[in-house]
Amino acid sequence: MTRPAPAIRIGTVLEGAISLAELLGALSLTTDLGAGVPFEKGLRTCVVASELAETLELDRTDRRAAYFAALLRSLGCTAHASAFAEMFDDDVAVQRELKTLDLEDPDAIAAQTARLATWAGPKRAQELTARLASEVPAQGAALGRGSCEVSAALGARLELPGGAIAALDEVYERYDGKGFPAGRKGEELTLAARAVHVAEQAVMAHYDGGEQGAARHVARLAGGHLDPDICAAFAANLEPILAPLEARDMLAAALAAEPPPAATVPMNDLDRLCSAFASFADLKGKYLLGHSARVAELADRAGELLGYDADARQTLRASALLLDIGRVGVSSAIWDRPGRLGEVEWERVRLHPYWTERILRRSLALERLAPLAAAHHERLDGSGYHRGARGIELSSGERLLAAADVFAAMTEPRPHRQASPLSEAADALHEEVLAGRLDAVAVGAVVEAAGLPRRRTAWPNDLTDREVEVLRVLARGLSNREIAETLVLSPRTVQHHLASVYDKIDMRTRAGAAVFAIENGLVPAAAGV
């Protein structure tokens, strides 16, 4: 029976608890990016699998297993992202092909080659198709086992039901035993996994062929890839099973489909859940492992040094852990490349904070983290991305997270360079302060959080860090009240700093202060002030 889905997004943050399904539903969008499938494919598979489980009259345990396994079907998709990029040029595109790969169907192979040709070119598409046909049988078991192990490990950290974790271990298996990694077949596979297999194939076919396309595709795979009995049940109840795909809000539809009782997690468990997805994101590149956790650690310590309260620090940590979830939509070939990126590749990199923000804003429990998490590449002079925000638009937390991200990245190896010693990274961050790109207070706190002495920047005319901050905002034409709001200071404190600034630079007007700031490199001339 089809459940009525709410027309608008819903969310749960009640009495210190968060809806687990809402968190995982929003974050399933991340696995969509990494698996190269259309946005909301995980949500769509979840609602179809839930309807199918109802049709099959599965018990509550199997229904919950199918629900969560379908939601996070691609949880292991970053496990071998770098390896796939090396073998097939673009791991994201190839992950998509693995969802519908059928080496025994010439028509399916031809369609696959045509899709690959859209980005690889006709000749390379044929080479990649041939490589898929040779490498998947040869290495499928090893690669599949690794992906399943990652899914199981992350699933346990996300507190998925045991049945869902077991089903995630079988996402690459087939009913006929020709899948990976164990070659299980028939009823050796869990009911939940068999239901998810049918739901996923139906959803993938539905994108191109609608209801009838899904029906034809599932029927063609019956007895081979898919359980024929479940395929028959799907065909007999096609319309009600696929009806939820017409919902206006797919996240709301997925939340409504959760078998009761709804699972919740305490708010104070948010770090643990976010850390699981940080690991998922950091697997995207050979040189990215542990980066998100390192940023979170630095930001948390720096926040403590700056007097952030417990709630602010929790928000900062969680945002840091999730700041790079959008990077899974960019091929590992880019993250692992030792050479210079081209313009198109650089544009893809610049989009990853946008995807982070878009994903987090889908959840009422996570949307408060979106501004912080998505701003880690913004810079005070407007030269950052993805919004090109300027200093006046960036909160102290956003400035702190940007500094922590830069410091962490510089002290980690990358494909084009070795890791910098802590002291050299600190010097580089202070240069960014002098150039007007990073915040002096944030950099000082991050450097101290890393175990180095906080350095006082040598500003012209013996200006203090805070006076330089005031001068930079003043130079952009803001009033005293606006300066106070921007820097979170009292109007009286701003007036005191302004008097000191004017005395030290021997100027008495805002225009004169702006010229001083430009000539001394405190704001870039290109900033338009």
Side-chain angles (χ1 to χ4, degrees):
M1 181 178 67
T2 302
R3 305 172 188 81
I8 60 173
R9 182 190 63 184
I10 61 177
T12 304
V13 186
L14 297 174
E15 298 180 357
I18 311 171
S19 162
L20 179 62
E22 184 192 339
L23 283 172
L24 301 186
L27 292 172
S28 74
L29 302 174
T30 308
T31 68
D32 293 340
L33 288 178
V37 296
F39 215 44
E40 298 192 340
K41 175 263 180 186
L43 297 174
R44 295 167 74 86
T45 303
C46 177
V47 296
V48 171
S50 297
E51 292 295 337
L52 186 55
E54 288 286 337
T55 298
L56 296 170
E57 298 183 344
L58 302 187
D59 62 28
R60 190 178 74 88
T61 298
D62 283 336
R63 292 203 313 275
R64 290 181 65 77
Y67 176 86
F68 284 106
L71 193 61
L72 294 178
R73 152 64 176 87
S74 298
L75 189 56
C77 70
T78 58
H80 299 292
S82 291
F84 281 147
E86 289 180 359
M87 292 193 303
F88 304 112
D89 300 351
D90 187 331
D91 60 290
V92 176
V94 168
Q95 288 273 9
R96 190 263 181 232
E97 297 306 322
L98 292 176
K99 298 290 181 293
T100 56
L101 183 65
D102 189 345
L103 298 176
E104 298 178 357
D105 185 343
D107 291 337
I109 293 175
Q112 172 188 283
T113 304
R115 286 192 298 270
L116 293 174
T118 61
W119 59 270
K123 181 179 179 181
R124 185 57 176 162
Q126 292 179 352
E127 294 172 350
L128 292 175
T129 300
R131 182 171 295 179
L132 274 167
S134 62
E135 294 293 338
V136 169
Q139 301 191 43
L143 294 172
R145 187 173 296 110
S147 295
C148 291
E149 285 182 354
V150 168
S151 293
L154 294 180
R157 288 167 62 185
L158 293 168
E159 294 191 341
L160 297 186
I165 294 175
L168 287 172
D169 194 46
E170 298 176 342
V171 293
Y172 294 111
E173 302 288 0
R174 291 169 49 111
Y175 185 80
D176 59 10
K178 296 180 180 180
F180 306 106
R184 298 176 191 139
K185 63 180 180 179
E187 295 187 3
E188 294 175 357
L189 300 171
T190 64
L191 261 174
R194 283 179 272 156
V196 170
H197 291 168
V198 173
E200 180 179 46
Q201 293 301 316
V203 166
M204 293 296 289
H206 189 272
Y207 280 114
D208 296 326
E211 185 177 290
Q212 293 307 310
R216 289 192 297 270
H217 183 66
V218 169
R220 184 176 63 81
L221 298 180
H225 188 167
L226 304 178
D227 183 326
D229 292 335
I230 296 181
C231 291
F234 173 79
N237 298 273
L238 186 65
E239 185 174 343
I241 289 174
L242 296 180
L245 297 182
E246 303 303 319
R248 289 173 54 192
D249 187 326
M250 199 52 62
L251 177 56
L255 293 178
E258 182 184 5
T264 61
V265 292
M267 273 292 292
N268 57 17
D269 242 6
L270 186 60
D271 278 9
R272 180 178 54 76
L273 297 175
C274 292
S275 70
F277 270 83
S279 298
F280 169 80
D282 289 353
L283 283 169
K284 189 63 185 181
K286 297 177 181 177
Y287 297 86
L288 301 173
L289 302 181
H291 174 71
S292 301
R294 176 63 172 150
V295 176
E297 178 186 23
L298 283 170
D300 182 45
R301 290 180 183 174
E304 182 179 18
L305 291 169
L306 292 176
Y308 284 35
D309 62 26
D311 288 343
R313 287 174 61 194
Q314 183 193 50
T315 297
L316 196 64
R317 285 194 307 273
S319 300
L321 289 168
L322 295 175
L323 57 81
D324 272 337
I325 58 175
R327 77 159 73 235
V328 302
V330 180
S331 173
S332 293
I334 293 176
W335 300 123
D336 293 340
R337 178 165 299 176
R340 186 179 180 86
L341 298 180
E343 191 64 30
V344 173
E345 294 163 330
W346 181 238
E347 284 304 311
R348 292 179 68 184
V349 168
R350 288 169 64 91
L351 276 175
H352 82 268
Y354 160 79
W355 285 113
T356 293
E357 181 168 20
R358 182 173 175 185
I359 289 164
L360 295 180
R361 288 197 183 279
R362 285 302 305 273
S363 166
L364 290 179
L366 297 175
E367 66 179 352
R368 65 188 176 86
L369 308 179
L372 269 172
H376 62 291
H377 285 295
E378 303 292 355
R379 297 295 180 261
L380 298 180
D381 63 355
S383 63
Y385 56 90
H386 69 290
R387 292 186 292 114
R390 295 185 180 275
I392 189 174
E393 304 170 79
L394 299 173
S395 69
S396 60
E398 289 166 344
R399 298 174 185 211
L400 185 57
L401 208 55
D405 181 67
V406 172
F407 190 88
M410 292 195 69
T411 54
E412 299 161 0
R414 291 293 183 263
H416 58 286
R417 59 164 173 78
Q418 297 295 316
S420 297
L422 296 183
S423 59
E424 289 184 13
D427 289 341
L429 261 67
H430 282 289
E431 288 299 319
E432 291 294 289
V433 170
L434 291 171
R437 288 187 284 271
L438 291 178
D439 179 81
V441 174
V443 165
V446 167
V447 168
E448 186 174 353
L452 298 175
R454 189 184 299 204
R455 183 184 311 176
R456 182 187 179 281
T457 303
W459 297 115
N461 292 45
D462 202 30
L463 291 170
T464 67
D465 290 346
R466 181 60 81 181
E467 287 169 350
V468 168
E469 282 191 322
V470 171
L471 174 57
R472 282 178 170 149
V473 181
L474 169 73
R476 289 179 168 81
L478 273 70
S479 67
N480 288 13
R481 178 181 59 80
E482 290 170 325
I483 294 173
E485 291 175 352
T486 299
L487 299 179
V488 197
L489 299 172
S490 71
R492 183 182 296 274
T493 300
V494 169
Q495 188 174 8
H496 171 77
H497 285 312
L498 285 175
S500 179
V501 167
Y502 282 134
D503 284 343
K504 288 181 177 180
I505 67 175
D506 196 24
M507 297 287 181
R508 290 294 176 265
T509 67
R510 293 172 185 270
V515 170
F516 177 90
I518 292 172
E519 290 179 344
N520 286 275
L522 302 182
V523 293
V529 295

